[in-house]
Amino acid sequence: LPSLDVKDFHTVDDGVTEYLSSAIETRSDWDFLIGHMLGVDHIGHTFDIHSKEMLEKLKQMNDVIRDTAEKLAAKAANGEEYRRSLLLVMGDHGQTASGEHGGDTEEEVSTVMMACNLNPEH
């Protein structure tokens, strides 16, 4: 995947989304899955955090997170295998309004983490 091409906003994200979906729906040979999306970062560098492209990408990321959580929750409700699943969603860094990162400003070092317990009994 052309992950270092900052003008490519979708190839990596689409590939990661497809892999996660397939792994959850059809496989059970994993204990830990990581999906590292790059589109938000690339759009931040190319446009800015308030651009139309960023809003569209963030909507796509929301959809991916919701779909992943729903698939894991459905699997957890239907069998012991997924009952102890925990979905973690986090950013690896923040960004300035102009899309920069790597510095030590509050914008660049602040990020978010979400944890979702998918056990239907909790």
Side-chain angles (χ1 to χ4, degrees):
L1 298 174
S3 64
L4 299 179
D5 179 1
V6 297
K7 301 292 186 192
D8 183 350
F9 310 136
H10 305 293
T11 302
V12 171
D13 294 356
D14 292 345
V16 169
T17 300
E18 183 178 323
Y19 181 81
L20 286 174
S21 181
S22 174
I24 293 166
E25 290 178 358
T26 63
R27 295 179 35 209
S28 61
D29 61 344
W30 54 269
D31 292 319
F32 192 82
L33 290 174
I34 296 174
H36 186 192
M37 308 292 196
L38 297 175
V40 169
D41 187 84
H42 290 183
I43 288 171
H45 285 297
T46 304
F47 299 99
D48 67 49
I49 64 170
H50 303 291
S51 67
K52 171 182 69 83
E53 292 82 3
M54 182 64 81
L55 293 175
E56 290 170 0
K57 179 53 75 170
L58 291 175
K59 182 187 178 316
Q60 179 191 12
M61 294 299 98
N62 284 343
D63 292 344
V64 169
I65 294 165
R66 182 180 46 254
D67 291 348
T68 301
E70 288 174 353
K71 286 175 183 165
L72 285 170
K75 289 283 192 173
N78 290 327
E80 288 298 316
E81 183 172 46
Y82 288 85
R83 280 202 169 311
R84 295 180 59 202
S85 295
L86 175 66
L87 175 63
L88 297 173
V89 178
M90 65 196 82
D92 58 348
H93 57 76
Q95 278 185 327
T96 65
S98 62
E100 299 304 314
H101 61 82
D104 63 356
T105 67
E106 185 68 24
E107 295 171 296
E108 294 166 281
V109 299
S110 294
T111 189
V112 67
M113 176 187 241
M114 176 195 80
C116 181
N117 179 354
L118 297 163
N119 186 328
E121 296 172 6
H122 290 105

